[in-house]
Amino acid sequence: MNRSVLPRPDLERPALLDVHNVSRLYGPDKGCQEINFRLHAGEVLGIVGESGSGKSTLLRVLAGLEAPDAGHVAYHSANDDTLDLYAISEARRRALLRLEWGLIHQNPRDGLRMGVSAGANIGERLMALGQRHYGQLRAAGQDWMGQVELDPGRIDDAPRTFSGGMQQRLQIARTLVTRPRLVFMDEPTGGLDVSVQARLLDMIRTLVRQLGLSVVLVTHDLAVARLLSHRLLVMRRSRVVEAGLTDQILDDPQHAYTQLLVSSVLTP
Amino acid sequence: MNALLTVENLHKGFVLHGQGGTALEVMHDLSLELRAGECLVLAGRSGIGKSTLLKMLYGNYLARRGSIRLHFSDGPLELTDLPAHAWHPLRRDVIGYVSQFLRVVPRVSAVEVVMEPLLARGADAWDARTKAETLLSRLNLPERLWQLPPGTFSGGEQQRVNIARGFIGEHPLLLLDEPTASLDAANRAEVVALIHEAKARGTAMLGIFHDEDVRSQVADRLLPLDDHLMAKTTHFPGQPS
């Protein structure tokens, strides 16, 4: 026998999101333009760049919250339909956000209802899927509080009585309780103390692996991007200037701007 | 057996935009062949950038020119133009890497750091833990450290966590960047034993070892690199700079 016996691994994953020539501009080079990429199932794609580079605008367009001026976003849904995100109705887009996607905001106040209990915050998304059984909703709430390392005994407390890090973990529990296929995260560890950040990063990594999530992650923190993302898009002045494997972008950046970005941080 | 990995006429350079576009050539016309069950050791002066080759094979560095091919049972796969999304499954299943330093994930315990390559493949958590503990105990990492994050460990302790993480996945191709650099004699011997076991399973290995004694015990062949590598601070004679 004179041939390799090494079986070829399956290197392809089904596509989840196809982004074609998307532009959304507020002014010259403000917003995002000519964005093209494909997100595969099980991938964590990081979008990095400075404030004002357009990464949050792009995330809003991808998440169905802001129509692009040009281009389109195709989502390959759980039942194998391909949906042109801005050709379908507003109601259908909202249903996607409720049923198949999750959105984690930088500020937990934008993703939580601060006045109602932690348990109700978690149960609300399940109720939107049609679950009505009080005992099951409460059990799911307690289970998920445990998964994000919150004391399940505080299920009846309102999030406004929680610290910032606890609120962010509650937002993650609220978002993931419905087992979304695709999660959009906007600076999920921004604005938190470093020790709280480390705990949250570890938690997000573990949940992504265990639930097989696909994620689009916006962050300006290259260390966060290195820990969480498989692939990176680097944005500058509304355009993607470099894209590739996370390790390659950070260890062998090709574009002048990426080189500047990487050489400017203390620990990428 | 035919080659598992073929590298042909590989060139690597860096263009430093921050320094007026200075172009540095660091690798020049390198070729090699590696078979299953073979350990090829990179030889050359210290500081000339031997890690560069490992980083290119692992996708961290882009090749300027040349070819890197893995040979699967149904044909070759070219790595120099592999799409970014394919690297993740390729690293998970085929190419393992023991880097010189452990990239510490905050708050994750040593045993979980070691388990991760198996968990990423969907392995049973109990099995993964058992294998991780077996490796850590072979490498003489005190049991009281297993549940602690390695961030505060000594260099040698971190290196052993790193080695256990590198070997647990039993990848068919394993890249070793000075895995014995900060280890004492007993642990060096354990790493040599791990390498011999990997060879017996048919693992192809490419490694950098500064320790003469370890090198002579593990190397099937040496790959001389002095004519092909240049430190980033120097230039090839006769090459335009």
Side-chain angles (χ1 to χ4, degrees):
Chain A
M1 198 200 63
N2 214 19
R3 283 175 58 88
S4 167
V5 291
L6 190 61
R8 182 184 300 261
D10 184 9
L11 300 177
E12 290 306 319
R13 297 285 179 277
L16 216 56
L17 212 54
D18 274 306
V19 180
H20 299 282
N21 263 315
V22 157
S23 295
R24 173 74 182 106
L25 289 173
Y26 306 103
D29 297 341
K30 282 280 167 207
C32 61
Q33 58 184 320
E34 292 168 33
I35 311 290
N36 289 283
F37 69 88
R38 165 174 281 189
L39 178 77
H40 304 79
E43 256 191 322
V44 180
L45 178 75
I47 304 175
V48 298
E50 291 171 351
S51 317
S53 57
K55 49 194 196 304
S56 292
T57 303
L58 175 57
L59 192 77
R60 289 179 56 78
V61 172
L62 300 179
L65 301 174
E66 188 163 329
D69 307 325
H72 64 274
V73 180
Y75 170 64
H76 306 284
S77 75
N79 57 10
D80 267 348
D81 282 345
T82 294
L83 305 173
D84 181 341
L85 204 52
Y86 291 95
I88 59 177
S89 69
E90 167 86 26
R92 190 85 194 275
R93 269 200 303 281
R94 287 188 177 282
L96 274 180
L97 256 177
R98 203 168 57 236
L99 303 173
E100 299 194 19
W101 296 358
L103 178 58
I104 294 174
H105 301 264
Q106 172 173 5
N107 189 339
R109 286 162 188 278
D110 297 332
L112 292 173
R113 297 215 290 139
M114 300 303 286
V116 307
S117 71
N121 266 285
I122 298 174
E124 194 175 45
R125 268 178 57 97
L126 286 175
M127 287 172 72
L129 295 186
Q131 292 195 30
R132 289 287 181 271
H133 188 283
Y134 176 77
Q136 284 170 4
L137 291 171
R138 195 164 172 87
Q142 277 168 335
D143 175 46
W144 268 93
M145 286 184 78
Q147 288 211 44
V148 297
E149 300 174 25
L150 291 170
D151 174 8
R154 295 197 60 181
I155 191 166
D156 296 317
D157 295 352
R160 72 161 88 84
T161 67
F162 290 3
S163 71
M166 290 166 68
Q167 287 176 1
Q168 192 57 296
R169 280 180 275 143
L170 183 63
Q171 189 189 190
I172 289 172
R174 170 186 164 93
T175 307
L176 299 188
V177 66
T178 55
R179 302 277 177 142
R181 299 173 78 215
L182 173 57
V183 181
F184 300 97
M185 300 186 185
D186 191 1
E187 305 272 10
T189 61
L192 297 174
D193 290 342
V194 179
S195 59
V196 179
Q197 216 184 62
R199 183 178 195 183
L200 202 60
L201 281 174
D202 172 30
M203 185 175 295
I204 293 173
R205 266 170 71 98
T206 305
L207 290 169
V208 164
R209 188 188 67 223
Q210 287 176 346
L211 305 176
L213 298 178
S214 307
V215 178
V216 180
L217 164 80
V218 161
T219 179
H220 70 279
D221 187 331
L222 296 185
V224 169
R226 170 92 85 172
L227 280 180
L228 294 181
S229 317
H230 303 135
R231 277 199 297 144
L232 288 184
L233 303 180
V234 182
M235 286 188 74
R236 180 182 188 237
R237 292 188 193 155
S238 74
R239 297 172 193 273
V240 171
V241 295
E242 190 165 352
L245 181 69
T246 298
D247 284 336
Q248 181 260 303
I249 298 282
L250 297 179
D251 291 348
D252 188 14
Q254 305 293 305
H255 191 276
Y257 175 71
T258 318
Q259 290 188 359
L260 180 69
L261 203 63
V262 170
S263 64
S264 305
V265 294
L266 297 174
T267 49
Chain B
M1 283 275 264
N2 280 355
L4 189 136
L5 171 75
T6 321
V7 171
E8 275 172 1
N9 310 110
L10 201 59
H11 291 250
K12 176 62 191 164
F14 294 97
V15 176
L16 307 177
H17 295 286
Q19 296 175 25
T22 307
L24 298 176
E25 189 177 13
V26 297
M27 179 186 290
H28 176 75
D29 202 27
L30 177 75
S31 300
L32 70 88
E33 229 183 57
L34 181 67
R35 292 155 193 266
E38 184 181 42
C39 180
L40 180 59
V41 170
L42 312 186
R45 294 188 312 278
S46 157
I48 58 168
K50 292 188 283 287
S51 304
T52 301
L53 175 60
L54 301 188
K55 287 179 179 165
M56 291 172 83
L57 296 175
Y58 202 57
N60 288 44
Y61 285 179
L62 294 174
R64 174 188 284 176
R65 243 185 16 251
S67 134
I68 302 170
R69 280 194 305 273
L70 277 175
H71 300 280
F72 292 110
S73 51
D74 60 350
L77 176 73
E78 175 63 49
L79 299 191
T80 54
D81 56 6
L82 193 68
H85 71 265
W87 275 102
H88 177 58
L90 190 71
R91 286 170 161 195
R92 195 190 60 197
D93 295 338
V94 181
I95 309 179
Y97 183 35
V98 179
S99 58
Q100 226 172 328
F101 302 101
L102 180 67
R103 194 182 294 287
V104 178
V105 184
R107 231 180 62 98
V108 180
S109 71
V111 70
E112 285 172 316
V113 167
V114 177
M115 290 162 67
E116 204 175 34
L118 293 183
L119 296 179
R121 293 180 193 158
D124 176 73
W126 192 84
D127 277 353
R129 185 171 294 271
T130 309
K131 283 193 176 128
E133 289 177 352
T134 306
L135 274 167
L136 288 174
S137 121
R138 276 188 69 176
L139 290 160
N140 304 302
L141 192 81
E143 203 172 330
R144 65 187 158 79
L145 296 183
W146 295 358
Q147 300 304 326
L148 299 177
T152 56
F153 292 6
S154 74
E157 288 162 352
Q158 289 198 6
Q159 182 65 303
R160 282 176 275 156
V161 173
N162 210 12
I163 292 165
R165 178 183 165 92
F167 277 88
I168 198 169
E170 302 191 353
H171 293 85
L173 173 60
L174 192 53
L175 310 172
L176 303 166
D177 195 347
E178 296 201 47
T180 54
S182 43
L183 301 186
D184 60 23
N187 285 313
R188 278 203 301 275
E190 203 54 55
V191 174
V192 169
L194 285 172
I195 291 172
H196 285 146
E197 288 164 29
K199 269 191 209 181
R201 294 194 285 275
T203 304
M205 279 169 285
L206 204 61
I208 303 170
F209 299 92
H210 278 169
D211 188 291
E212 195 79 46
D213 180 47
V214 172
R215 199 185 313 172
S216 66
Q217 291 183 64
V218 301
D220 295 300
R221 280 188 295 136
L222 293 181
L223 180 71
L225 291 174
D226 281 337
D227 295 339
H228 301 281
L229 287 180
M230 258 320 165
K232 283 187 200 178
T233 47
T234 54
H235 295 278
F236 283 93
Q239 296 280 324
S241 57

